[in-house]
Amino acid sequence: GAGVSQSPRYKVAKRGQDVALRCDPISGHVSLFWYQQALGQGPEFLTYFQNEAQLDKSGLPSDRFFAERPEGSVSTLKIQRTQQEDSAVYLCASSLGLDTQYFGPGTRLTVL
Amino acid sequence: GESVGLHLPTLSVQEGDNSIINCAYSNSASDYFIWYKQESGKGPQFIIDIRSNMDKRQGQRVTVLLNKTVKHLSLQIAATQPGDSAVYFCAERGYGGSQGNLIFGKGTKLSVKP
């Protein structure tokens, strides 16, 4: 079946622009996670949804980061007034519960 | 702080040899661990997982060993192939109020020489 998909795969933004990153989880997966991966590092947790409820947003680095999942399926991660330090790969993962998380290909964000 | 880490940042093996990638964790209460493979430009790919009530779990050409006494995790790859070349991450499930997220180590780069 189809895996987790993310769009766009690549995004270049000028500093100060807003960006929106989309995640389509595996159909039927209740849990959805966003991670940020800096070059040469492991993914770091940003936020977690169970259906449409955002249960944990402790990893969001600032109030410029906002995530939503209004209908419990597709999720969007929005970054306002992007800064150069926001440049990273943003990964989305989904799971049936809290065990095996399946990752999408990621969106590589470059802020100039 | 508590974290998951790896003993070796790089590992180079000959094709056909067995590979062992090691990982240390610091939270003795962790109950779930998972290994991912990440190729360049791709997202992490699930390899195998293990719960804390197990010591060993086998998959296709891969085995994960868990030693709770010394808080050590390892991934064994049998008959390593060039296609196994990638960065391998171990991760543990978050604890306390963040049981949904995974906590990743920095990764080990595996290079397979033909």
Side-chain angles (χ1 to χ4, degrees), chain B residues 33-79:
Chain B
F33 305 89
I34 190 166
W35 281 99
Y36 286 96
K37 170 188 179 183
Q38 188 172 28
E39 296 173 283
S40 181
K42 298 184 179 180
Q45 176 187 352
F46 169 78
I47 301 173
I48 193 167
D49 57 2
I50 189 168
R51 296 183 184 279
S52 59
N53 61 353
M54 303 173 69
D55 297 322
K56 179 180 180 179
R57 192 167 187 216
Q58 289 184 293
Q60 187 176 17
R61 282 201 305 119
V62 295
T63 301
V64 55
L65 298 177
L66 177 62
N67 186 331
K68 294 181 286 294
T69 302
V70 295
K71 291 184 284 187
H72 183 267
L73 195 68
S74 68
L75 176 70
Q76 300 179 358
I77 305 174

Side-chain angles (χ1 to χ4, degrees), chain A residues 32-100:
Chain A
L32 185 145
F33 306 83
W34 284 98
Y35 292 83
Q36 180 190 60
Q37 186 174 26
L39 189 64
Q41 303 293 318
E44 292 192 353
F45 170 75
L46 294 176
T47 188
Y48 155 55
F49 290 86
Q50 187 176 87
N51 295 306
E52 68 278 3
Q54 190 174 19
L55 298 187
D56 188 347
K57 53 182 181 179
S58 62
L60 295 176
S62 76
D63 59 7
R64 296 186 296 103
F65 286 71
F66 172 76
E68 59 184 5
R69 194 187 185 197
E71 298 180 355
S73 55
V74 172
S75 177
T76 303
L77 176 67
K78 298 179 179 179
I79 309 173
Q80 297 177 324
R81 304 181 303 281
T82 52
Q83 304 295 315
Q84 284 188 322
E85 61 263 29
D86 299 335
S87 295
V89 174
Y90 290 86
L91 294 163
C92 176
S94 70
S95 68
L96 279 173
L98 290 178
D99 289 347
T100 309

